[in-house]
């Protein structure tokens, strides 16, 4: 089974949803036969590279609420994160542009480190409160998953893989994705949002059974008919 996930590194429910999916996968027998690929989705493609306001101020402005209301909302999200085993430090977070982080994730995926860097980028933002638009910060994260720091920094100073990020986002629009996280299973089934673990587990089980289970045949024979048939014991000839 293949699971493709559209997400952003500054999306709290993307991190929570990732953990819930992982917990669900841990509870199914076919987990070793599941592959996961991440695709890019920028929640705020016009966000600045330089952090100029707090996460609370940004949310208050974006959703037309007070800063205190934004803080209360973030506190609620932090509790959900805690239940998933994550620590969110909203007080120190600085919302910034994530294009380079997405480019770096694709760079890492080319070298077989896509899953590792996705986890580290999410942790860097939500737990460590790092600035994900800073090239050196990103290069350090690359080094932490075993990539060459200088090579990563050189890559970040260019623009390679930008079009790949844009292609992911264009595909999301074609699919009608309205928000993230967005999960597509075997290119046929979709799960939207950071659903509860039980929902993920049920979806995984359903898809696995539908895609890999033995076909169930519906008998269309007339019930009243004594149609000719053979069994292991004998052959019965129809009287019609």
């Amino acid at each position: 089974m293949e699971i493709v996930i559209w997400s952003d590194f500054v999306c709290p429910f993307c991190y929570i949803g990732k953990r819930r999916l992982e917990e669900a996968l841990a509870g199914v027998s076919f987990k070793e036969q599941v592959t996961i690929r991440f695709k890019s989705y920028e929640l705020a493609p016009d966000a600045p590279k330089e952090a100029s306001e707090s996460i609370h101020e940004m949310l208050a402005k974006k959703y037309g609420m007070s800063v205190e209301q934004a803080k209360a909302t973030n506190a609620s999200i932090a509790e959900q994160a805690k239940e998933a085993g994550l620590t969110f430090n909203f007080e120190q977070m600085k919302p910034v542009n994530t294009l380079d982080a997405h480019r770096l994730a694709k760079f890492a995926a080319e070298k077989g480190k896509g899953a590792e860097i996705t986890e580290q980028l999410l942790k860097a933002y939500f737990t460590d409160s790092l600035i994900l638009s800073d090239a050196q910060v990103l290069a350090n994260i690359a080094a932490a998953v075993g990539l060459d720091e200088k090579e990563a920094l050189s890559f970040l100073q260019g623009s390679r893989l930008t079009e790949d990020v844009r292609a992911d986002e264009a595909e999301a629009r074609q699919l009608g994705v309205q928000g993230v996280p967005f999960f597509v299973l075997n290119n046929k089934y979709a799960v939207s949002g950071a659903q509860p673990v039980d929902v993920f587990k049920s979806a995984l089980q359903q898809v696995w059974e539908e895609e890999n289970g033995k076909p169930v045949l519906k008998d269309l024979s007339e019930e009243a008919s004594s149609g000719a048939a053979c069994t292991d014991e004998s052959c019965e000839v129809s009287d019609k």
Side-chain angles (χ1 to χ4, degrees):
M1 181 189 302
E2 180 185 60
I3 302 175
V4 178
I5 308 171
W6 273 267
S7 65
D8 196 3
F9 300 113
V10 294
C11 164
F13 289 109
C14 290
Y15 204 4
I16 294 170
K18 180 176 182 291
R19 274 295 183 276
R20 290 176 178 174
L21 174 64
E22 290 166 349
E23 185 177 342
L25 281 168
V28 298
S29 61
F30 49 86
K31 63 182 178 181
E32 298 301 326
Q33 293 169 269
V34 176
T35 60
I36 296 176
R37 289 194 299 121
F38 289 90
K39 292 200 172 187
S40 303
Y41 190 102
E42 294 173 273
L43 286 171
D46 296 327
K49 294 193 69 171
E50 297 293 330
S52 59
E53 56 188 0
S54 71
I55 187 69
H56 306 308
E57 292 168 336
M58 184 276 287
L59 287 176
K61 184 185 300 181
K62 183 175 182 178
Y63 295 111
M65 61 175 71
S66 69
V67 171
E68 289 307 312
Q69 288 174 318
K71 287 183 177 181
T73 297
N74 286 333
S76 176
I77 295 173
E79 281 301 311
Q80 293 186 56
K82 186 176 181 180
E83 291 173 3
L86 301 170
T87 300
F88 282 11
N89 293 315
F90 279 107
E91 291 304 318
Q92 287 77 42
M93 286 180 201
K94 297 291 186 180
V96 292
N97 191 284
T98 57
L99 174 60
D100 284 342
H102 283 292
R103 289 177 53 237
L104 180 65
K106 291 191 173 299
F107 173 78
E110 290 181 339
K111 299 177 180 296
K113 295 288 186 177
E116 293 87 343
I117 206 155
T118 294
E119 174 66 25
Q120 289 305 312
L121 286 166
L122 287 163
K123 178 179 179 293
Y125 182 72
F126 286 103
T127 302
D128 302 332
S129 304
L130 299 179
I131 305 298
L132 292 190
S133 58
D134 184 285
Q136 187 58 61
V137 167
L138 292 173
N140 291 344
I141 295 171
V145 301
L147 300 180
D148 184 270
E149 180 183 337
K150 291 183 178 179
E151 184 183 4
L153 189 59
S154 176
F155 163 78
L156 289 163
Q157 290 169 345
S159 60
R160 191 170 76 84
L161 298 180
T162 297
E163 291 306 312
D164 294 67
V165 173
R166 300 296 180 226
D168 283 356
E169 294 169 340
E171 184 180 358
R173 289 193 295 272
Q174 291 174 350
L175 291 173
V177 177
Q178 299 295 315
V180 288
F182 191 82
F183 306 80
V184 175
L185 290 69
N186 277 359
N187 204 35
K188 292 174 60 177
Y189 310 84
V191 176
S192 180
Q195 297 291 336
V197 173
D198 287 346
V199 173
F200 276 123
K201 191 171 182 179
S202 176
L204 290 167
Q205 198 68 46
Q206 180 180 338
V207 172
W208 181 259
E209 291 174 359
E210 289 183 6
E211 299 281 296
N212 298 278
K214 294 181 180 179
V216 177
L217 302 180
K218 182 177 180 180
D219 190 350
L220 299 178
S221 307
E222 293 184 19
E223 292 184 5
S225 170
S226 55
C230 289
T231 68
D232 290 342
E233 301 293 331
S234 64
C235 288
E236 180 181 350
V237 180
S238 171
D239 56 4
K240 290 190 177 181

